[in-house]
Amino acid sequence: MSSDRTYDVIIVGGGHAGSEAAAAAARLGARTLLITPDLARVGQMSCNPAIGGIAKGVVAREVDALGGIMGRATDAARIQFRMLNRSKGPAVWSPRAQCDRELYPFGVRRALDEVPGLFLHEDMVTGLLMQDGRVTGVRTGGGEFRAEAVVVTAGTFLRGRIHIGSDASVGAGRVGEAPSVELAQELEARGLEIARFKTGTPPRIDGRSVDFTRTERQDGDPQDFRFSSYVRESIPEQRPCWITWTGEGLREVVERNLDRSALFGGEISGRGPRYCPSIEDKIVRFPDAARHQVFLEPEGLESTELYVNGLSTSLPAEVQVEFLHTVPGLERVEVTRVGYAIEYDYFPPHQLRHTLEVRAFPGLYFAGQINGTTGYEEAAGQGLMAGANAALRVLGRSPFVLERDEAYIGVLIDDLITKGTDEPYRLFTSRAEFRLLLRQDNASRRLGPRAREIGLLTERQNEALEILEERDLRVQRWFVETVIEPADANPLLGQCGSSPVRQPVRASELLKRPEVPASGLAHAGGAMFDPSTDTDAVAAVEIEIKYEGYVRREAERARSLRRQADFELPDDLPYEDLLSISSEAREKMARVRPSTLAQAGRIPGVSPADLQSLILEVRRWRRKEACFT
Ligand SMILES: Cc1cc2nc3c(=O)[nH]c(=O)nc-3n(C[C@H](O)[C@H](O)[C@H](O)COP(=O)(O)OP(=O)(O)OC[C@H]3O[C@@H](n4cnc5c(N)ncnc54)[C@H](O)[C@@H]3O)c2cc1C
């Protein structure tokens, strides 16, 4: 904080959304203040210290491509790396990293400290300052701070309540941290729709008390993979994870104690994530499953604690110990921290614009768990977009919105605003229509130029992007221009079970064969680049040549969607009066207030016939408006 308490943008909260929002706003040139109750916990991982996974790994790379922090903080903290979905082809590969719980926030803080124009202040925000319906700043225990734009990223803290068993519950945002009650009350009192969700975390155990001989060791991939395309951090020493299974013993303990679970005893009203169920949920919902997989994941290089992935619970502490002792390898395990469930307020996201600005209050933005999402990556992606848009607004510049064919972040934000969510929202590849375009390997090629254009990249990141672009071009050219002699190609083709060639052939022609890998061709053709280090460039060429037809069709579909997106819908369209549209569609569109025809088409309940009528109604409405003015 500086002595002048006036800023361009204020960010409330120093979690994953808040850190990215603050860095993005400041990188764009806005004088930015991040306020959070405990500066030592900036970038803290509330649950599993892992970044990435299916779809989420692509988001982490997109955040990096847009100049964000998450990619480099992950590289500097990762103690195990795996490329998920490797058996399914490079278009859906998803990087995932287990991180050191201490090193990750350290990396986030280091990155924040490097950003000029970004100030940090330790305090709890208790309310907003408003004038004529516009936000003008925030109130804290220590006084008032003024800004034209405020981004709230309060995570699970809004009226957060933790439950350990059915009779131990306490108000908290995370274990040991106070909830944010006044801010939640004020936002509700200002008329915003509010609802409640829940999530949970498993117990942590002391690795020294585990019998690893009864578990299966899982090492990471040896590959020198980086989440960050721009900054080369040094990767820490790597560690294995361990796999074990629950069995009949655990089922019996959980079933016997179900009425003592906060999740099942009725103490928690909010909905939880279906795809990340507690062990109570799994036992009840899958009564025929003989066993459930459990991953024992390291929490850090200097820690003996293990995260028991798969056993999230809100059963009492003694029951947690009892069920853990039934699991092979954990018979004598010492619990270091018990699992718990948490319920918290969120604001249904149909109340937002695509910039993540709250429709009702210009200058106020929401990002992260407060919008009904779950996950560090989802929070980071929203944070970056909200912070950027808050800064652009204050600087009088056009908003920055990513479309569904540009980024998973675009899919995430559009889904939230258009469809809303009745359970904590997380990304999956199935949510995206353009999966072949939205890959992890091409994140910096897709989004780097956009980020550069609006000024989200630092000088160093711009230079790194230029080098990447040159490298991509070089690799692409090599495949298109290089002709490989049969004597060089045939040994590789033989190894791959592919028919030999008799004439010299272009590398790009051979690459069209599904069984022939790009890296092998690069070696066979004596390429000057190294396919084991230029992995993104080589993967991109491989996908674009091998799946050329599919990629082209997807790009065509994306272009046609863009044409629909160009048909803008007025903000003040009186949907209730557009009688040629079905009443269900009118009601839903009035609630969401889509900004384009394409967005209207994605609202559940709006049919193609409704869209045709909508076009005619909008044209009629525009003519009428023009007459009046
Ligand atoms: C128990 C638990 C289990 C979870 N399990 C998983 C999981 O398995 N997988 C997964 O992907 N995600 C999980 N999550 C969710 C994940 O932690 C969040 O999605 C992610 O951290 C959200 O990021 P965020 O920035 O929105 O909020 P957070 O990371 O929660 O950060 C919120 C920040 O806002 C600050 N803050 C709050 N109120 C105020 C205020 N009034 N003034 C100033 N600062 C304020 C807080 O101190 C904190 O710094 C879990 C979360 C919890 C708590």
Side-chain angles (χ1 to χ4, degrees):
M1 181 181 72
S2 65
S3 54
D4 174 7
R5 289 186 160 212
T6 304
Y7 297 84
D8 292 323
V9 177
I10 291 176
I11 312 295
V12 180
H16 306 274
S19 317
E20 297 292 351
R27 282 201 310 272
L28 282 169
R31 191 175 133 82
T32 304
L33 177 69
L34 183 152
I35 307 179
T36 195
D38 186 349
L39 281 175
R41 294 180 194 247
V42 166
Q44 182 169 324
M45 303 173 112
S46 312
C47 194
N48 190 359
I51 296 288
I54 308 292
K56 287 164 168 274
V58 188
V59 176
R61 297 213 68 188
E62 289 179 352
V63 168
D64 173 75
L66 292 166
I69 294 170
M70 179 166 261
R72 56 180 287 200
T74 305
D75 288 342
R78 77 151 161 95
I79 54 176
Q80 193 200 59
F81 170 75
R82 292 181 62 223
M83 186 64 88
L84 307 184
N85 267 349
R86 209 182 258 286
S87 60
K88 291 193 183 155
V92 288
W93 286 2
S94 290
R96 180 193 189 270
Q98 189 68 26
C99 295
D100 181 300
R101 181 178 290 291
E102 304 292 324
L103 288 178
Y104 185 86
F106 180 73
V108 172
R109 181 61 196 268
R110 196 161 42 115
L112 288 178
D113 288 343
E114 282 175 12
V115 186
L118 172 58
F119 302 85
L120 307 181
H121 178 59
E122 191 170 273
D123 210 338
M124 178 74 106
V125 170
T126 52
L128 298 175
L129 305 177
M130 294 272 202
Q131 205 177 350
D132 304 329
R134 286 173 180 279
V135 75
T136 56
V138 300
R139 205 176 320 109
T140 72
E144 294 183 351
F145 296 85
R146 306 237 154 228
E148 275 182 54
V150 172
V151 184
V152 181
T153 67
T156 50
F157 285 67
L158 296 174
R159 280 189 283 219
R161 187 148 206 93
I162 280 177
H163 300 262
I164 303 171
S166 56
D167 41 33
S169 99
V170 59
R174 275 186 300 231
V175 152
E177 291 178 78
S180 176
V181 176
E182 286 154 302
L183 182 60
Q185 283 168 343
E186 167 165 347
L187 289 168
E188 187 176 20
R190 287 190 184 275
L192 290 178
E193 190 183 326
I194 198 163
R196 232 152 145 73
F197 274 161
K198 69 183 177 196
T199 187
T201 189
R204 314 303 201 267
I205 55 175
D206 188 336
R208 291 171 301 185
S209 57
V210 175
D211 177 0
F212 290 108
T213 61
R214 304 209 60 207
T215 66
E216 184 189 319
R217 179 179 166 128
Q218 185 188 54
D219 285 298
D221 297 352
Q223 189 185 347
D224 180 25
F225 176 87
R226 307 284 162 147
F227 276 87
S228 180
S229 302
Y230 306 137
V231 182
R232 209 169 166 77
E233 298 283 357
S234 51
I235 306 270
E237 187 189 320
Q238 299 298 284
R239 289 285 158 88
C241 293
W242 308 86
I243 298 172
T244 181
W245 298 85
T246 68
E248 264 314 302
L250 180 137
R251 165 186 299 284
E252 189 277 317
V253 176
V254 171
E255 278 178 346
R256 177 160 40 84
N257 289 285
L258 263 185
D259 59 337
R260 302 178 69 197
S261 157
L263 294 164
F264 276 79
E267 281 74 20
I268 299 184
S269 51
R271 267 195 182 217
R274 211 169 2 118
Y275 33 79
C276 185
S278 65
I279 188 62
E280 296 94 295
D281 269 321
K282 289 188 210 174
I283 296 294
V284 171
R285 276 170 36 198
F286 308 107
D288 299 329
R291 56 184 203 158
H292 296 281
Q293 199 171 36
V294 176
F295 289 89
L296 306 178
E297 298 174 325
E299 289 252 319
L301 291 176
E302 303 297 332
S303 167
T304 58
E305 274 188 299
L306 297 173
Y307 178 92
V308 189
N309 195 348
L311 292 184
S312 162
T313 182
S314 67
L315 282 160
E318 66 277 13
V319 181
Q320 296 185 29
V321 175
E322 192 183 346
F323 74 56
L324 282 170
H325 284 176
T326 67
V327 176
L330 308 186
E331 293 85 350
R332 291 187 213 299
V333 90
E334 292 288 333
V335 172
T336 50
R337 299 177 217 206
V338 292
Y340 64 88
I342 182 164
E343 55 174 340
Y344 54 91
D345 290 346
Y346 77 99
F347 292 87
H350 65 84
Q351 303 173 92
L352 305 173
R353 297 179 189 281
H354 274 83
T355 53
L356 297 179
E357 186 176 29
V358 178
R359 282 179 182 280
F361 301 115
L364 179 62
Y365 295 76
F366 286 170
Q369 196 104 357
I370 188 174
N371 288 338
T373 59
T374 178
Y376 309 128
E377 305 79 2
E378 286 84 348
Q382 290 172 70
L384 190 145
M385 297 304 287
N389 277 301
L392 291 169
R393 175 182 220 283
V394 173
L395 300 170
R397 295 177 50 195
S398 309
F400 175 44
V401 171
L402 290 169
E403 300 294 340
R404 296 181 74 90
D405 61 331
E406 285 182 296
Y408 268 95
I409 297 174
V411 173
L412 159 72
I413 293 176
D414 184 61
D415 274 355
L416 288 176
I417 288 155
T418 309
K419 299 181 184 154
T421 182
D422 55 7
E423 63 179 318
Y425 177 104
R426 69 148 286 181
L427 270 169
F428 295 106
T429 41
S430 57
R431 298 206 194 261
E433 308 80 335
F434 304 110
R435 287 190 285 279
L436 270 179
L437 303 182
L438 309 185
R439 307 187 311 265
Q440 62 87 24
D441 62 85
N442 69 0
S444 59
R445 276 201 297 155
R446 271 188 284 132
L447 300 175
R450 294 279 320 261
R452 174 170 53 203
E453 195 182 294
I454 64 166
L456 268 171
L457 300 187
T458 61
E459 209 171 301
R460 192 168 151 208
Q461 289 171 328
N462 271 323
E463 282 165 16
L465 179 61
E466 253 171 55
I467 294 172
L468 284 176
E469 285 173 328
E470 277 165 22
R471 192 183 302 171
D472 280 352
L473 210 62
R474 213 172 48 231
V475 171
Q476 243 167 6
R477 268 208 207 118
W478 186 88
F479 278 94
V480 175
E481 291 171 3
T482 303
V483 174
I484 307 184
E485 294 296 325
D488 297 323
N490 285 338
L492 168 73
L493 298 177
Q495 273 167 29
C496 308
S498 195
S499 50
V501 288
R502 295 211 177 84
Q503 304 289 331
V505 191
R506 266 184 212 289
S508 53
E509 279 306 310
L510 289 174
L511 191 53
K512 285 183 185 160
R513 299 183 180 189
E515 65 281 8
V516 179
S519 54
L521 282 172
H523 286 302
M528 297 299 282
F529 56 85
D530 178 358
S532 64
T533 51
D534 292 334
T535 43
D536 286 347
V538 173
V541 172
E542 177 145 28
I543 293 162
E544 277 152 28
I545 291 183
K546 269 200 178 33
Y547 304 102
E548 195 189 351
Y550 295 102
V551 173
R552 194 170 359 95
R553 274 197 292 280
E554 217 167 76
E556 274 161 19
R557 272 199 301 124
R559 272 195 295 277
S560 108
L561 186 80
R562 281 300 177 90
R563 283 194 289 276
Q564 281 193 2
D566 286 345
F567 190 93
E568 287 184 8
L569 301 175
D571 222 16
D572 48 352
L573 200 61
Y575 286 99
E576 53 290 356
D577 299 340
L578 309 183
L579 298 179
S580 65
I581 299 172
S582 73
S583 58
E584 183 191 358
R586 266 185 282 149
E587 196 183 299
K588 297 228 165 112
M589 288 194 284
R591 183 174 146 95
V592 174
R593 306 210 74 80
S595 54
T596 63
L597 190 68
Q599 192 195 352
R602 290 191 293 274
I603 300 174
V606 176
S607 69
D610 290 322
L611 292 182
Q612 289 304 325
S613 307
L614 181 61
I615 294 174
L616 298 177
E617 292 280 14
V618 169
R619 288 191 180 137
R620 206 172 299 145
W621 184 84
R622 281 201 179 119
R623 277 198 300 273
K624 216 160 80 187
E625 287 291 294
C627 285
F628 280 125
T629 52

